[in-house]
Amino acid sequence: MAFPDITPDLRAAAPELRGRLLANQDLAGVTWFRVGGPAQVLFTPADEEDLAYFLSKLPADIPVTVIGLGSNLIVRDGGIPGVVIRLGGKGFAEITVEPGDRLRAGTAVPDVKVARAAADASLDGLAFYRGIPGSIGGALRMNAGAHGGETTDVLVEARGVTRKGEIVTLKHADMGFTYRHSAESTRDIIFTSALFQGRPGDRETILAEMDRVTQAREAAQPIKERTGGSTFKNPDGGKAWQLIDAAGCRGLRIGGAQVSEMHCNFLINTGGATAADVEGLGEEVRRRVKDNSGFELQWEIKRLGLPA
């Protein structure tokens, strides 16, 4: 389906806009599942100031959705109404090493690049980002973690833009981090950069740790498939993959979507899946796990947009 084109009105309201504003843009191609409908409007700001200007001019009744690398995301088949903002380009992709064993990164930077930049600067403590298939923006939003480390362990502060176009800086305590979650008070902020605290380390030792993380992922996870990464959060007192396996869901299929045979907390698009197939499979897994064990799995993957 196609949404009404509101880009002429948005351009008229923000005549000094420098970023790219496009109507009815496909989003399936930018998600790792390769499923889903279009964005009514896709906005790619030139830099933080451009983003702030756009938001300050955007009518309050138009919804805003932010997507990053699309790794931990299902866009539903009906697409996303309103404005979808995707940060990219030089304005949000810089990495700088700062005094005091600190590293600053734009939120469009892939997590793996932050791990590598830290290693090259002999900064220890950030190697766990090698195992997270996303960008720094998503890591802030979800307190992303892997292999014994979490974003909350290393974040000093995050910078962003509010829905009203105000540029703000949030200290670690303002983020309200819990397991795979940040505070609701941050929900109207689009993060633009983050400052991390590392510690002095040996480059070769850090690179060896990153290689270990890489090998562990390749051995245990279907990283070469069309997948969205870890699907469900680990509940208190259990591991999601074990609960899914015990419920007989390994290899379970709906349409073109399948529970991975390699790691059953991963869903994969085997080819031709719709977003409804993927989400429906996830809900069926949740139902079977609840019936089998009493655990109610919570989605870790974000689901956005309208059904077909």
Side-chain angles (χ1 to χ4, degrees):
M1 71 174 254
F3 292 104
D5 184 0
I6 60 174
T7 56
D9 292 338
L10 298 182
R11 288 193 181 96
E16 298 174 20
L17 200 65
R18 292 176 285 117
R20 187 171 57 176
L21 201 63
L22 301 171
N24 283 293
Q25 288 297 295
D26 170 69
L27 292 177
V30 301
T31 69
W32 287 25
F33 274 120
R34 295 295 189 264
V35 298
Q40 182 173 13
V41 176
L42 181 63
F43 175 52
T44 307
D47 50 34
E48 184 183 72
E49 291 74 21
D50 195 45
L51 173 62
Y53 171 69
F54 175 74
L55 291 172
S56 72
K57 302 297 183 183
L58 185 67
D61 60 342
I62 296 178
V64 172
T65 303
V66 183
I67 63 173
L69 293 183
S71 59
N72 197 251
L73 179 67
I74 297 171
V75 174
R76 294 185 174 111
D77 298 306
I80 302 179
V83 175
V84 173
I85 296 176
R86 190 163 190 249
L87 306 184
K90 186 177 179 181
F92 304 96
E94 293 186 347
I95 301 175
T96 56
V97 177
E98 300 191 357
D101 302 315
R102 291 180 169 184
L103 182 148
R104 189 179 300 274
T107 47
V109 176
D111 299 326
V112 62
K113 287 192 175 182
V114 167
R116 182 61 194 236
D120 286 343
S122 297
L123 291 181
D124 201 359
L126 299 173
F128 72 90
Y129 276 126
R130 176 63 186 88
I132 303 175
S135 64
I136 291 301
L140 294 174
R141 182 62 64 204
M142 296 182 64
N143 185 22
H147 301 276
E150 291 184 303
T151 298
T152 187
D153 300 333
V154 292
L155 183 74
V156 177
E157 63 183 30
R159 185 176 166 103
V161 182
T162 70
R163 179 62 174 79
K164 294 181 180 180
E166 303 160 325
I167 297 175
V168 296
T169 299
L170 278 68
K171 298 297 184 182
H172 179 278
D174 300 325
M175 296 295 292
F177 284 133
T178 55
Y179 176 63
R180 301 298 175 264
H181 191 73
S182 58
E184 293 301 319
S185 60
T186 68
R187 289 299 178 257
D188 80 329
I189 296 173
I190 300 175
F191 295 115
T192 55
S193 67
L195 180 63
F196 299 104
Q197 181 68 60
R199 56 182 183 269
D202 175 72
R203 180 177 182 273
E204 296 307 317
T205 302
I206 298 168
L207 289 173
E209 169 64 12
M210 288 171 57
D211 286 342
R212 186 193 66 78
V213 170
T214 301
Q215 291 168 11
R217 286 189 68 221
E218 290 178 348
Q221 300 177 6
I223 60 175
K224 296 181 181 179
E225 306 281 359
R226 296 179 180 179
T227 183
S230 182
T231 306
F232 301 107
K233 301 176 184 179
N234 287 324
D236 290 339
K239 291 187 177 181
W241 77 267
Q242 291 177 339
L243 295 168
I244 295 167
D245 203 15
C249 296
R250 187 182 293 269
L252 183 66
R253 296 181 69 123
I254 290 181
Q258 180 181 16
V259 176
S260 171
E261 296 273 6
M262 176 182 283
H263 191 313
C264 50
N265 196 25
F266 283 65
L267 306 182
I268 58 176
N269 176 3
T270 64
T274 64
D277 289 341
V278 178
E279 186 173 9
L281 179 59
E283 288 299 324
E284 177 62 13
V285 167
R286 292 181 72 238
R287 184 189 70 78
R288 294 192 185 194
V289 168
K290 180 70 180 296
D291 289 347
N292 183 67
S293 65
F295 281 92
E296 191 161 347
L297 294 179
Q298 301 298 316
W299 284 88
E300 184 170 328
I301 286 176
K302 302 301 180 185
R303 296 157 295 148
L304 303 173
L306 305 173

